Amino acid sequence: MNAPLKDLPAANPEEFRKVVESRRSIRRFTNTAIPHDILDDCLDLAMLAPNSSNLQPWEFFVVTTPALRQKLARACLNQNAARTAPALIAIVVRTDTWAEHSRLAIQQWPEESLPGIVRTYYQRFAPLQYALGPLGLFGLAKKGIGLVAGLARPVPRGPYSASEMKIWATKSTALAAENLMLALRAHGYDSCPMEGFDECRVRKLLKLPRKGLVTMILAAGKRAENGVYHQQYRFERERFVHYL
């Protein structure tokens, strides 16, 4: 059952604006550690991000121990953000957990009764949508069927391949990453999402799952006085926003 409107908490756009506008990619941090309870709260808020079919295709590997953090910083090419942050979080995409999470979606349904349409979706439609089959043959078959069916009516287009599954999972995981960055800022901490890293070394250091894909390493902590390198700017809105 949907939550009644009267149960929705009051929202303050100006407070949200403060969080968004004060979030910057911080390149240098102080050595102040993030309290464990605050880090946990930020991760909980990250996992409230919207995601495809509520299949939550993500994992977060939090590194705070100095020795491992130092090794991970080297794998991040010794960037200043990685070297100085008291916490490094590997945000990992999982394309191989959808079947298990489909079962969990049914087992952990939060309401008294499970709607039939929900059971049908996770037991029948999710396997049709996300399974690729041996050598990806089922995905190829789905693509062919979709091309033919799409001539007459709108149909879902993919994911049909392992690469498309990575795109599918990365979209949801990126939303969780943004939630995490904003949650850190709301608690008075900062972050820097890093794409510059040696994924092979990161995977080995953190003993990541074979099918896990590191989408970014997030440096997190208290910003140093020299942590912001340049003034923030964006291109004009008209380049990106189109009202039709």
Side-chain angles (χ1 to χ4, degrees):
M1 182 181 296
N2 293 329
L5 287 177
K6 64 182 178 62
D7 292 339
L8 292 176
N12 188 323
E14 289 309 312
E15 291 303 312
F16 180 66
R17 181 180 298 278
K18 289 179 186 177
V19 171
V20 173
E21 291 185 345
S22 64
R23 187 219 60 79
R24 297 293 308 274
S25 291
I26 303 304
R27 310 296 178 175
R28 293 180 185 272
F29 295 88
T30 71
N31 58 7
T32 303
I34 304 175
H36 190 80
D37 59 331
I38 289 179
L39 198 49
D40 273 351
D41 186 56
C42 291
L43 289 162
D44 287 342
L45 291 170
M47 292 186 289
L48 289 178
N51 62 95
S52 181
S53 297
N54 199 29
L55 291 175
Q56 303 167 54
W58 50 53
E59 285 189 328
F60 303 85
F61 293 80
V62 184
V63 179
T64 57
T65 52
L68 183 56
R69 199 177 71 234
Q70 187 177 36
K71 291 178 182 178
L72 185 55
R74 284 200 295 270
C76 293
L77 314 182
N78 272 325
Q79 296 179 62
N80 287 330
R83 286 192 306 102
T84 60
L88 295 174
I89 305 170
I91 301 176
V92 176
V93 166
R94 296 297 301 271
T95 61
D96 58 334
T97 56
W98 65 264
E100 179 186 1
H101 290 184
S102 291
R103 291 191 292 271
L104 289 176
I106 293 174
Q107 294 170 8
Q108 299 184 15
W109 184 255
E111 298 169 10
E112 187 173 345
S113 62
L114 177 70
I117 191 172
V118 173
R119 183 181 298 277
T120 298
Y121 179 81
Y122 286 114
Q123 289 183 341
R124 294 179 56 190
F125 290 107
L128 288 173
Q129 185 75 15
Y130 302 114
L132 301 178
L135 302 177
L137 293 178
F138 184 51
L140 288 174
K142 288 191 297 181
K143 184 173 184 178
I145 293 170
L147 288 172
V148 174
L151 295 174
R153 58 185 173 84
V155 296
R157 308 280 181 156
Y160 297 134
S161 65
S163 60
E164 289 182 11
M165 282 294 289
K166 289 179 181 178
I167 294 171
W168 165 79
T170 298
K171 287 188 287 186
S172 290
T173 303
L175 294 174
E178 179 70 2
N179 265 27
L180 178 54
M181 288 183 275
L182 294 180
L184 285 162
R185 181 82 288 275
H187 274 288
Y189 294 86
D190 288 287
S191 61
C192 181
M194 296 177 290
E195 291 184 293
F197 53 85
D198 183 327
E199 185 172 4
C200 291
R201 284 180 165 79
V202 171
R203 295 175 63 84
K204 185 176 181 179
L205 277 173
L206 304 185
K207 299 179 173 60
L208 298 182
R210 183 174 64 86
K211 291 191 176 180
L213 172 69
V214 186
T215 186
M216 68 184 76
I217 306 290
L218 190 71
K222 282 278 188 184
R223 71 174 69 182
E225 288 187 5
N226 59 346
V228 178
Y229 282 1
H230 305 289
Q231 185 175 338
Q232 187 182 60
Y233 70 101
R234 290 294 185 268
F235 305 134
E236 64 278 4
R237 180 194 301 169
E238 290 73 19
R239 178 176 292 273
F240 307 107
V241 180
H242 311 284
Y243 288 99
L244 304 177

